[in-house]
Amino acid sequence: MAVRMDLCLEALSALTGCRVEASAAESQLMPQDVVNIAALKQFYRREGLQELEYPSLGSLSLGGPDDEDMYSAPLAVEGAPPPEPLEGPPIKINPATFFDPRFDYDFTNVKDGDRSFSRGEERYVRPCGWRRVALRVLGYDGGDAWLGTGPDAWPVSYHGNRMDGALGVTAIRRGPALEGAEPGALEEIEPGPVAGETYLRGVYSSTLVGVAEGYCKRFRSRGDGKTYKVVLQNRINPEQRRQCQREGLWVVTVAEGSGPAQTRASIQLALRPYGLLLKED
């Protein structure tokens, strides 16, 4: 059974902080924009900014607490819709060009046990317990090998809205730490902008959906009154990430002094969404 479209739109609204609505016209947001906005809002909040300027959308407020559940106020009258917390004009997307139902998958009752999967020659831990709504992402510049299962494919990672350096991690990078070290050995890098800190400027994601779930967005659907969790399933560029000491955690760093356009480009080169994961809370 397909996931209800109204639920998908509410999930996108929760991720972006914008009221997302369906339209037959050209989409104002594409799947890459969703991960850009979701990731950058947390990043810029960490930087102490109050607004995020985004092309075609204008200024997006960063002032609200991101861990508040959307539509969480109690209903005053049974059957009445909860108050709408989102401000500004709605963002229109065309479901026919935004989603790709050919690749939807229901992992709700899947248990992989000892079964093993890989993407890009790295372990792929499937999002068991979740339902995936596939995003239409074929046709990036450079081809679609990043979405495959072979050696050129990118590994899978999961992003929750509140994942950032507050996880308390130090990043490490692949490469010989000392002369004579084995190829592929892990080398610790400077743990932050100030000596002794563990925070690295950038966007965090995990190879484990359970880690992302702990930092994900929750929202109450106006369609059925139930509360859902939403996580983004991405592919992460193995050349543009840094591994953290915490198992299964990666960071895509953003250089000091990067402007908004350069920051968005850094994220797009490294983190591409291909699935919207939903789970009843």
Side-chain angles (χ1 to χ4, degrees):
M1 180 184 298
V3 177
R4 303 188 333 262
M5 183 52 59
D6 66 303
L7 186 59
C8 296
L9 296 174
E10 288 177 326
L12 292 173
S13 299
L15 283 170
T16 62
C18 306
R19 189 167 68 254
V20 180
E21 298 179 355
S23 171
E26 183 178 354
S27 296
Q28 292 177 273
L29 285 182
M30 295 307 292
Q32 184 64 51
D33 295 313
V34 175
V35 74
N36 287 352
I37 294 170
L40 290 176
K41 289 186 80 169
Q42 181 68 5
F43 169 73
Y44 281 126
R45 262 194 296 265
R46 178 80 184 197
E47 295 288 294
L49 301 180
Q50 298 300 312
E51 292 183 337
L52 166 63
E53 291 293 333
Y54 200 83
S56 78
L57 299 183
S59 181
L60 305 177
S61 174
L62 306 178
D66 197 45
D67 55 356
E68 270 189 9
D69 292 349
M70 296 185 64
Y71 315 125
S72 58
L75 305 185
V77 180
E78 185 176 356
E84 174 59 73
L86 302 172
E87 299 179 355
I91 303 302
K92 304 289 187 177
I93 68 162
N94 186 330
T97 58
F98 193 92
F99 299 107
D100 199 342
R102 295 174 298 168
F103 303 105
D104 288 356
Y105 200 93
D106 189 354
F107 292 96
T108 304
N109 298 310
V110 173
K111 296 181 180 180
D112 283 337
D114 295 332
R115 299 178 67 193
S116 179
F117 302 88
S118 65
R119 296 291 183 270
E121 299 185 331
E122 294 190 25
R123 186 187 178 202
Y124 167 36
V125 181
R126 301 200 301 177
C128 296
W130 297 74
R131 295 189 69 176
R132 181 176 69 208
V133 179
L135 306 177
R136 191 173 296 275
V137 293
L138 294 175
Y140 269 86
D141 291 341
D144 300 318
W146 63 278
L147 268 174
T149 60
D152 293 333
W154 292 4
V156 174
S157 77
Y158 302 96
H159 178 78
N161 275 58
R162 294 180 291 114
M163 296 179 72
D164 69 3
L167 292 169
V169 293
T170 300
I172 50 184
R173 63 187 171 203
R174 296 193 180 279
L178 299 171
E179 185 178 353
E182 292 292 329
L186 294 176
E187 175 188 4
E188 187 169 344
I189 67 173
E190 188 66 25
V194 179
E197 291 187 356
T198 58
Y199 168 64
L200 277 169
R201 289 183 89 242
V203 174
Y204 290 77
S205 62
S206 176
T207 59
L208 305 173
V209 71
V211 173
E213 182 176 3
Y215 300 90
C216 74
K217 190 74 176 181
R218 291 173 169 82
F219 66 96
R220 182 193 288 183
S221 172
R222 290 173 292 174
D224 58 18
K226 297 178 181 178
T227 302
Y228 292 88
K229 299 176 181 179
V230 57
V231 164
L232 279 169
Q233 185 176 27
N234 312 294
R235 296 297 185 98
I236 188 168
N237 189 331
E239 303 298 325
Q240 302 289 333
R241 64 181 180 178
R242 288 179 174 175
Q243 182 180 339
C244 299
Q245 288 182 331
R246 180 169 177 174
E247 181 182 2
L249 196 67
W250 300 95
V251 59
V252 173
T253 56
V254 176
E256 292 279 357
S258 297
Q262 187 178 0
T263 300
R264 288 194 305 273
S266 297
I267 303 308
Q268 184 160 332
L269 284 172
L271 201 63
R272 294 178 179 174
Y274 72 103
L276 189 67
L277 299 182
L278 291 164
K279 181 180 183 181
E280 191 174 330
D281 197 0

